[in-house]
Amino acid sequence: MRFIFLGVQGAGKGTQSKALATLLNIPHISTGDLLRLAKENETPLGLKAKEYMDKGELVPDALVLAMVRERLSQEDAQLGWILDGFPRNLYQVGALDGLLVGMDQPTYDRVIYLEVPDNIVSPRLLERAKKEKNRTDDNPEVISKRLQIYHEETAPLIDLYKKRKLLVSVNGNQLLEAVTADVQKAATYDDAL
Ligand code: ADP
């Protein structure tokens, strides 16, 4: 079982993709989490990524790809995984497909798209910024930069995966438990696709 989660920042991707990973007993792989960890640990990757993350920009594809390749080659990722925050632009889609072929891994089964309107996510992001003060990428200017990049670079993936018949949409603007239940159906019901 392999899944990709798509959705704007603050849509609840992290919470919902982690819940699904726990339920299915497969690793939850978040490029944002991996990059933040690298940044905290001040690894060479983390130091480079920091320059982009703190401005709300995407980290260069080559860096993110090397990191994803490394993570997907680990033992716990051989039977399934959930990718959260990757791919994030059209180039990364093609790169992931190539990576999986190269690693002899089957492609992903579904792309779960958490749909939440922008006017709902902006206050959520500001709220998160207040709670997690260490997230330098959650201040108002950086938030609006990230939303802009999402619409320009990531949103086109929705249509692409729709065309590939891999996309399942879930209404993310409901009570958290209702979203969790819908995500579970989207991931497991045969007729959800
Ligand atoms: P959010 O979904 O709240 O924007 P993430 O935790 O997914 O945040 O990512 C935080 C930051 O890490 C992004 O703003 C970006 O700089 C970087 N990042 C995460 N995933 C990718 C990716 N696939 N490609 C490039 N940069 C990424």
Side-chain angles (χ1 to χ4, degrees):
M1 287 159 301
R2 292 171 175 82
F3 299 101
I4 288 174
F5 267 71
L6 264 188
V8 71
Q9 291 82 359
K13 256 184 312 142
T15 310
Q16 298 297 343
S17 57
K18 269 183 221 155
L20 185 67
T22 305
L23 180 83
L24 301 177
N25 198 22
I26 51 179
H28 165 253
I29 302 175
S30 153
T31 46
D33 286 353
L34 290 172
L35 289 168
R36 270 187 294 277
L37 189 70
K39 200 175 95 165
E40 272 159 38
N41 293 336
E42 301 184 341
T43 67
L45 166 70
L47 293 174
K48 274 190 222 143
K50 179 177 162 46
E51 299 169 34
Y52 301 90
M53 294 171 76
D54 290 354
K55 286 190 277 185
E57 291 170 6
L58 293 186
V59 173
D61 291 327
L63 294 180
V64 178
L65 267 170
M67 184 181 81
V68 169
R69 178 186 295 122
E70 217 269 314
R71 182 64 188 88
L72 289 181
S73 64
Q74 286 170 19
E75 201 175 330
D76 68 336
Q78 299 317 300
L79 293 182
W81 36 255
I82 293 179
L83 278 175
D84 166 9
F86 181 90
R88 224 182 182 87
N89 58 30
L90 290 170
Y91 176 80
Q92 292 182 2
V93 172
L96 174 62
D97 293 343
L99 200 67
L100 295 175
V101 171
M103 294 175 87
D104 254 337
Q105 283 202 26
T107 190
Y108 31 94
D109 303 279
R110 284 173 200 192
V111 176
I112 299 172
Y113 169 44
L114 271 188
E115 259 187 297
V116 178
D118 264 9
N119 62 341
I120 305 280
V121 297
S122 298
R124 281 194 193 174
L125 287 170
L126 288 168
E127 198 49 40
R128 177 167 87 184
K130 268 193 249 154
K131 277 195 214 137
E132 301 175 38
K133 290 220 172 51
N134 56 341
R135 276 196 65 147
T136 42
D137 58 349
D138 265 348
N139 73 54
E141 300 86 77
V142 175
I143 288 172
S144 84
K145 178 82 189 163
R146 278 156 59 220
L147 287 177
Q148 182 201 336
I149 293 183
Y150 171 82
H151 288 294
E152 285 170 9
E153 301 208 29
T154 311
L157 274 54
I158 298 165
D159 267 350
L160 177 89
Y161 286 132
K162 220 182 257 172
K163 286 198 193 107
R164 288 195 190 175
K165 303 208 182 316
L166 286 172
L167 197 86
V168 195
S169 296
V170 170
N171 175 9
N173 191 17
Q174 320 175 63
L175 284 179
L176 195 134
E177 295 76 15
V179 181
T180 308
D182 283 357
V183 165
Q184 197 176 320
K185 285 184 209 156
T188 54
Y189 283 20
D190 283 344
D191 59 4
L193 263 183

